[in-house]
Amino acid sequence: MKISFIRHGESQANLQEVFSNRGLKHPLTAAGRGQAAVLADRLQDQQITYIYSSPVLRALETAIILAGRLGVAYEVVEALREYDVGVLEGRADPPSWQIWKEVAEAWLSDQRWEQHIDGGESFWEVRQRFVPYIEGLLQEYGQSDAHLACVGHGGIYRLMLPLVVRNLDQAFIARQGGFGYAAWITCELTPDGLVCTAWNGAPPHP
């Protein structure tokens, strides 16, 4: 089986640099809808069998565009939601982004997994919803030829994909240039686990 992890297209929240990880706010921009359409064209020969989407509007709209153009069904799942930033939700000021940066550094650099923004999720809490969900997909579809697409967010992918994909770590992600709008990361299930085999349709940088 394969899983393609897809980031949403550009949204109004991205342009406004506002934290928008809850509810149906901040839709895709015209450019973001175009990015999703282009991605759908690129995925035409990938035989995507089913799409799972974060409930956040920018991801959901991306999934709807992909599902319509590829002729497959989609399902909304909480496990793919971007991680909750608590009291920073709806804010766009530089001090709020500094707080966000400090917590991200505590997780990624210092391994202080319990750190969280007031009212938001810790690394452990994000892990508890994301990792078991992906493991469940592997268990359910592992013996099939399914090619699943998960439409989510750059933040949660940066944190969580190294936990479920054997050859992914922060250095690997940096070498690929990170998760751009409508980025497409294909992983295949091998006897040793899930392995990244393509980044935006090309072999990943070693």
Side-chain angles (χ1 to χ4, degrees):
M1 68 166 292
K2 297 180 182 179
I3 301 180
S4 284
F5 295 97
I6 295 167
R7 188 190 175 199
H8 58 80
E10 178 192 74
S11 76
Q12 292 179 3
N14 299 123
L15 293 186
Q16 298 170 16
E17 297 185 344
V18 60
F19 291 104
S20 182
N21 298 346
R22 301 175 186 166
L24 296 175
K25 304 173 293 184
H26 300 103
L28 294 176
T29 63
R33 292 191 295 273
Q35 291 159 356
V38 169
L39 177 58
D41 289 342
R42 297 185 68 189
L43 293 174
Q44 287 291 342
D45 64 350
Q46 293 298 307
Q47 299 181 320
I48 300 293
T49 52
Y50 202 74
I51 297 173
Y52 297 95
S53 175
S54 157
V56 179
L57 185 56
R58 55 190 179 271
L60 179 56
E61 289 186 336
T62 301
I64 290 172
I65 292 170
L66 295 177
R69 287 178 171 256
L70 296 174
V72 298
Y74 72 92
E75 179 180 340
V76 177
V77 294
E78 279 288 326
L80 298 175
R81 179 188 291 276
E82 183 63 291
Y83 64 88
D84 196 295
V85 295
V87 297
L88 301 186
E89 180 72 14
R91 295 170 61 173
D93 55 287
S96 294
W97 280 100
Q98 181 61 32
I99 293 170
W100 172 86
K101 180 180 178 181
E102 290 171 358
V103 171
E105 288 179 349
W107 292 342
L108 296 173
S109 299
D110 302 331
Q111 299 183 343
R112 290 185 285 145
W113 313 124
E114 76 289 350
Q115 292 293 306
H116 63 278
I117 297 161
D118 188 20
E121 291 179 290
S122 69
F123 182 96
W124 286 123
E125 289 170 322
V126 180
R127 186 187 189 282
Q128 285 169 358
R129 62 176 166 89
F130 184 90
V131 173
Y133 182 76
I134 300 303
E135 291 175 344
L137 293 180
L138 297 179
Q139 184 174 18
E140 181 176 358
Y141 294 100
Q143 302 305 313
S144 73
D145 294 326
H147 187 170
L148 309 176
C150 292
V151 183
H153 307 268
I156 196 169
Y157 285 162
R158 183 186 179 199
L159 294 174
M160 295 292 115
L161 289 190
L163 302 182
V164 296
V165 182
R166 290 186 61 85
N167 62 335
L168 274 184
D169 56 23
Q170 296 304 318
F172 184 103
I173 292 170
R175 288 196 297 273
Q176 316 315 312
F179 304 99
Y181 297 129
W184 159 37
I185 296 89
T186 299
C187 302
E188 296 187 24
L189 185 60
T190 72
D192 294 325
L194 203 58
V195 174
C196 176
T197 56
W199 201 282
N200 291 324
H205 298 295

PDB file of all heavy atoms in Angstrom, residues 144-164:
ATOM      1  N   SER A 144      -3.110  -4.639   1.056  1.00  0.00           N
ATOM      2  CA  SER A 144      -3.847  -4.303  -0.163  1.00  0.00           C
ATOM      3  C   SER A 144      -2.992  -3.437  -1.087  1.00  0.00           C
ATOM      4  O   SER A 144      -1.863  -3.067  -0.761  1.00  0.00           O
ATOM      5  CB  SER A 144      -5.127  -3.550   0.195  1.00  0.00           C
ATOM      6  OG  SER A 144      -4.833  -2.220   0.605  1.00  0.00           O
ATOM      7  N   ASP A 145      -3.567  -3.095  -2.241  1.00  0.00           N
ATOM      8  CA  ASP A 145      -2.918  -2.189  -3.180  1.00  0.00           C
ATOM      9  C   ASP A 145      -3.437  -0.757  -3.033  1.00  0.00           C
ATOM     10  O   ASP A 145      -3.264   0.062  -3.941  1.00  0.00           O
ATOM     11  CB  ASP A 145      -3.155  -2.658  -4.618  1.00  0.00           C
ATOM     12  CG  ASP A 145      -2.468  -3.985  -4.910  1.00  0.00           C
ATOM     13  OD1 ASP A 145      -1.386  -4.225  -4.349  1.00  0.00           O
ATOM     14  OD2 ASP A 145      -3.029  -4.782  -5.689  1.00  0.00           O
ATOM     15  N   ALA A 146      -4.053  -0.464  -1.914  1.00  0.00           N
ATOM     16  CA  ALA A 146      -4.639   0.866  -1.703  1.00  0.00           C
ATOM     17  C   ALA A 146      -3.569   1.954  -1.772  1.00  0.00           C
ATOM     18  O   ALA A 146      -2.426   1.754  -1.366  1.00  0.00           O
ATOM     19  CB  ALA A 146      -5.345   0.922  -0.354  1.00  0.00           C
ATOM     20  N   HIS A 147      -3.961   3.102  -2.325  1.00  0.00           N
ATOM     21  CA  HIS A 147      -3.129   4.308  -2.277  1.00  0.00           C
ATOM     22  C   HIS A 147      -3.987   5.389  -1.630  1.00  0.00           C
ATOM     23  O   HIS A 147      -4.861   5.969  -2.267  1.00  0.00           O
ATOM     24  CB  HIS A 147      -2.667   4.731  -3.667  1.00  0.00           C
ATOM     25  CG  HIS A 147      -1.681   5.857  -3.645  1.00  0.00           C
ATOM     26  ND1 HIS A 147      -0.980   6.252  -4.765  1.00  0.00           N
ATOM     27  CD2 HIS A 147      -1.278   6.694  -2.647  1.00  0.00           C
ATOM     28  CE1 HIS A 147      -0.192   7.265  -4.449  1.00  0.00           C
ATOM     29  NE2 HIS A 147      -0.370   7.557  -3.174  1.00  0.00           N
ATOM     30  N   LEU A 148      -3.741   5.629  -0.364  1.00  0.00           N
ATOM     31  CA  LEU A 148      -4.511   6.584   0.410  1.00  0.00           C
ATOM     32  C   LEU A 148      -3.869   7.962   0.343  1.00  0.00           C
ATOM     33  O   LEU A 148      -2.646   8.084   0.233  1.00  0.00           O
ATOM     34  CB  LEU A 148      -4.587   6.144   1.875  1.00  0.00           C
ATOM     35  CG  LEU A 148      -5.039   4.706   2.130  1.00  0.00           C
ATOM     36  CD1 LEU A 148      -4.975   4.398   3.614  1.00  0.00           C
ATOM     37  CD2 LEU A 148      -6.434   4.469   1.574  1.00  0.00           C
ATOM     38  N   ALA A 149      -4.689   8.993   0.405  1.00  0.00           N
ATOM     39  CA  ALA A 149      -4.189  10.369   0.483  1.00  0.00           C
ATOM     40  C   ALA A 149      -4.678  10.984   1.781  1.00  0.00           C
ATOM     41  O   ALA A 149      -5.868  10.924   2.099  1.00  0.00           O
ATOM     42  CB  ALA A 149      -4.673  11.190  -0.704  1.00  0.00           C
ATOM     43  N   CYS A 150      -3.758  11.550   2.557  1.00  0.00           N
ATOM     44  CA  CYS A 150      -4.091  12.245   3.795  1.00  0.00           C
ATOM     45  C   CYS A 150      -3.805  13.733   3.589  1.00  0.00           C
ATOM     46  O   CYS A 150      -2.651  14.109   3.342  1.00  0.00           O
ATOM     47  CB  CYS A 150      -3.264  11.718   4.957  1.00  0.00           C
ATOM     48  SG  CYS A 150      -3.662  10.026   5.448  1.00  0.00           S
ATOM     49  N   VAL A 151      -4.837  14.565   3.667  1.00  0.00           N
ATOM     50  CA  VAL A 151      -4.681  16.000   3.445  1.00  0.00           C
ATOM     51  C   VAL A 151      -4.622  16.690   4.803  1.00  0.00           C
ATOM     52  O   VAL A 151      -5.593  16.652   5.573  1.00  0.00           O
ATOM     53  CB  VAL A 151      -5.837  16.567   2.604  1.00  0.00           C
ATOM     54  CG1 VAL A 151      -5.604  18.052   2.326  1.00  0.00           C
ATOM     55  CG2 VAL A 151      -5.966  15.798   1.287  1.00  0.00           C
ATOM     56  N   GLY A 152      -3.481  17.301   5.096  1.00  0.00           N
ATOM     57  CA  GLY A 152      -3.282  17.914   6.397  1.00  0.00           C
ATOM     58  C   GLY A 152      -2.464  19.180   6.328  1.00  0.00           C
ATOM     59  O   GLY A 152      -2.610  19.987   5.407  1.00  0.00           O
ATOM     60  N   HIS A 153      -1.538  19.323   7.282  1.00  0.00           N
ATOM     61  CA  HIS A 153      -0.885  20.605   7.534  1.00  0.00           C
ATOM     62  C   HIS A 153       0.623  20.445   7.733  1.00  0.00           C
ATOM     63  O   HIS A 153       1.096  19.421   8.229  1.00  0.00           O
ATOM     64  CB  HIS A 153      -1.492  21.243   8.778  1.00  0.00           C
ATOM     65  CG  HIS A 153      -2.980  21.351   8.718  1.00  0.00           C
ATOM     66  ND1 HIS A 153      -3.623  22.461   8.230  1.00  0.00           N
ATOM     67  CD2 HIS A 153      -3.953  20.461   9.061  1.00  0.00           C
ATOM     68  CE1 HIS A 153      -4.938  22.264   8.285  1.00  0.00           C
ATOM     69  NE2 HIS A 153      -5.160  21.063   8.778  1.00  0.00           N
ATOM     70  N   GLY A 154       1.345  21.500   7.380  1.00  0.00           N
ATOM     71  CA  GLY A 154       2.794  21.463   7.498  1.00  0.00           C
ATOM     72  C   GLY A 154       3.281  21.274   8.914  1.00  0.00           C
ATOM     73  O   GLY A 154       4.261  20.573   9.159  1.00  0.00           O
ATOM     74  N   GLY A 155       2.616  21.908   9.880  1.00  0.00           N
ATOM     75  CA  GLY A 155       3.062  21.819  11.266  1.00  0.00           C
ATOM     76  C   GLY A 155       2.994  20.407  11.808  1.00  0.00           C
ATOM     77  O   GLY A 155       3.972  19.872  12.340  1.00  0.00           O
ATOM     78  N   ILE A 156       1.833  19.782  11.658  1.00  0.00           N
ATOM     79  CA  ILE A 156       1.684  18.428  12.201  1.00  0.00           C
ATOM     80  C   ILE A 156       2.533  17.432  11.423  1.00  0.00           C
ATOM     81  O   ILE A 156       3.078  16.489  12.007  1.00  0.00           O
ATOM     82  CB  ILE A 156       0.198  18.015  12.244  1.00  0.00           C
ATOM     83  CG1 ILE A 156       0.025  16.796  13.157  1.00  0.00           C
ATOM     84  CG2 ILE A 156      -0.361  17.760  10.851  1.00  0.00           C
ATOM     85  CD1 ILE A 156      -1.418  16.469  13.466  1.00  0.00           C
ATOM     86  N   TYR A 157       2.695  17.645  10.120  1.00  0.00           N
ATOM     87  CA  TYR A 157       3.557  16.739   9.356  1.00  0.00           C
ATOM     88  C   TYR A 157       5.008  16.854   9.813  1.00  0.00           C
ATOM     89  O   TYR A 157       5.710  15.852   9.932  1.00  0.00           O
ATOM     90  CB  TYR A 157       3.453  17.043   7.864  1.00  0.00           C
ATOM     91  CG  TYR A 157       2.172  16.577   7.210  1.00  0.00           C
ATOM     92  CD1 TYR A 157       1.774  17.101   5.985  1.00  0.00           C
ATOM     93  CD2 TYR A 157       1.373  15.595   7.789  1.00  0.00           C
ATOM     94  CE1 TYR A 157       0.608  16.673   5.357  1.00  0.00           C
ATOM     95  CE2 TYR A 157       0.209  15.166   7.170  1.00  0.00           C
ATOM     96  CZ  TYR A 157      -0.165  15.708   5.963  1.00  0.00           C
ATOM     97  OH  TYR A 157      -1.313  15.282   5.355  1.00  0.00           O
ATOM     98  N   ARG A 158       5.459  18.073  10.035  1.00  0.00           N
ATOM     99  CA  ARG A 158       6.842  18.253  10.487  1.00  0.00           C
ATOM    100  C   ARG A 158       7.092  17.527  11.805  1.00  0.00           C
ATOM    101  O   ARG A 158       8.146  16.912  12.000  1.00  0.00           O
ATOM    102  CB  ARG A 158       7.138  19.741  10.644  1.00  0.00           C
ATOM    103  CG  ARG A 158       8.572  20.053  11.050  1.00  0.00           C
ATOM    104  CD  ARG A 158       8.746  21.530  11.318  1.00  0.00           C
ATOM    105  NE  ARG A 158      10.106  21.847  11.732  1.00  0.00           N
ATOM    106  CZ  ARG A 158      10.438  22.967  12.370  1.00  0.00           C
ATOM    107  NH1 ARG A 158       9.512  23.866  12.663  1.00  0.00           N
ATOM    108  NH2 ARG A 158      11.689  23.187  12.714  1.00  0.00           N
ATOM    109  N   LEU A 159       6.103  17.568  12.700  1.00  0.00           N
ATOM    110  CA  LEU A 159       6.256  16.929  13.999  1.00  0.00           C
ATOM    111  C   LEU A 159       6.099  15.415  13.944  1.00  0.00           C
ATOM    112  O   LEU A 159       6.858  14.674  14.575  1.00  0.00           O
ATOM    113  CB  LEU A 159       5.211  17.487  14.970  1.00  0.00           C
ATOM    114  CG  LEU A 159       5.311  18.943  15.369  1.00  0.00           C
ATOM    115  CD1 LEU A 159       4.094  19.315  16.221  1.00  0.00           C
ATOM    116  CD2 LEU A 159       6.598  19.219  16.128  1.00  0.00           C
ATOM    117  N   MET A 160       5.088  14.964  13.216  1.00  0.00           N
ATOM    118  CA  MET A 160       4.639  13.590  13.343  1.00  0.00           C
ATOM    119  C   MET A 160       5.160  12.623  12.286  1.00  0.00           C
ATOM    120  O   MET A 160       5.304  11.434  12.567  1.00  0.00           O
ATOM    121  CB  MET A 160       3.104  13.551  13.326  1.00  0.00           C
ATOM    122  CG  MET A 160       2.449  14.236  14.519  1.00  0.00           C
ATOM    123  SD  MET A 160       2.758  13.346  16.075  1.00  0.00           S
ATOM    124  CE  MET A 160       3.764  14.575  16.953  1.00  0.00           C
ATOM    125  N   LEU A 161       5.423  13.088  11.067  1.00  0.00           N
ATOM    126  CA  LEU A 161       5.851  12.125  10.045  1.00  0.00           C
ATOM    127  C   LEU A 161       7.139  11.391  10.419  1.00  0.00           C
ATOM    128  O   LEU A 161       7.268  10.192  10.119  1.00  0.00           O
ATOM    129  CB  LEU A 161       5.989  12.803   8.681  1.00  0.00           C
ATOM    130  CG  LEU A 161       4.671  13.209   8.005  1.00  0.00           C
ATOM    131  CD1 LEU A 161       4.930  13.654   6.562  1.00  0.00           C
ATOM    132  CD2 LEU A 161       3.647  12.089   8.046  1.00  0.00           C
ATOM    133  N   PRO A 162       8.106  12.051  11.083  1.00  0.00           N
ATOM    134  CA  PRO A 162       9.287  11.281  11.492  1.00  0.00           C
ATOM    135  C   PRO A 162       8.971  10.133  12.456  1.00  0.00           C
ATOM    136  O   PRO A 162       9.787   9.222  12.608  1.00  0.00           O
ATOM    137  CB  PRO A 162      10.173  12.339  12.159  1.00  0.00           C
ATOM    138  CG  PRO A 162       9.806  13.615  11.473  1.00  0.00           C
ATOM    139  CD  PRO A 162       8.318  13.502  11.291  1.00  0.00           C
ATOM    140  N   LEU A 163       7.809  10.160  13.080  1.00  0.00           N
ATOM    141  CA  LEU A 163       7.433   9.095  14.003  1.00  0.00           C
ATOM    142  C   LEU A 163       6.808   7.896  13.287  1.00  0.00           C
ATOM    143  O   LEU A 163       6.755   6.804  13.868  1.00  0.00           O
ATOM    144  CB  LEU A 163       6.442   9.614  15.046  1.00  0.00           C
ATOM    145  CG  LEU A 163       6.906  10.792  15.903  1.00  0.00           C
ATOM    146  CD1 LEU A 163       5.830  11.150  16.924  1.00  0.00           C
ATOM    147  CD2 LEU A 163       8.218  10.476  16.603  1.00  0.00           C
ATOM    148  N   VAL A 164       6.335   8.092  12.060  1.00  0.00           N
ATOM    149  CA  VAL A 164       5.645   7.002  11.360  1.00  0.00           C
ATOM    150  C   VAL A 164       6.321   6.604  10.049  1.00  0.00           C
ATOM    151  O   VAL A 164       5.972   5.572   9.475  1.00  0.00           O
ATOM    152  CB  VAL A 164       4.165   7.371  11.085  1.00  0.00           C
ATOM    153  CG1 VAL A 164       3.405   7.533  12.393  1.00  0.00           C
ATOM    154  CG2 VAL A 164       4.035   8.610  10.218  1.00  0.00           C
TER     155      VAL A 164
END
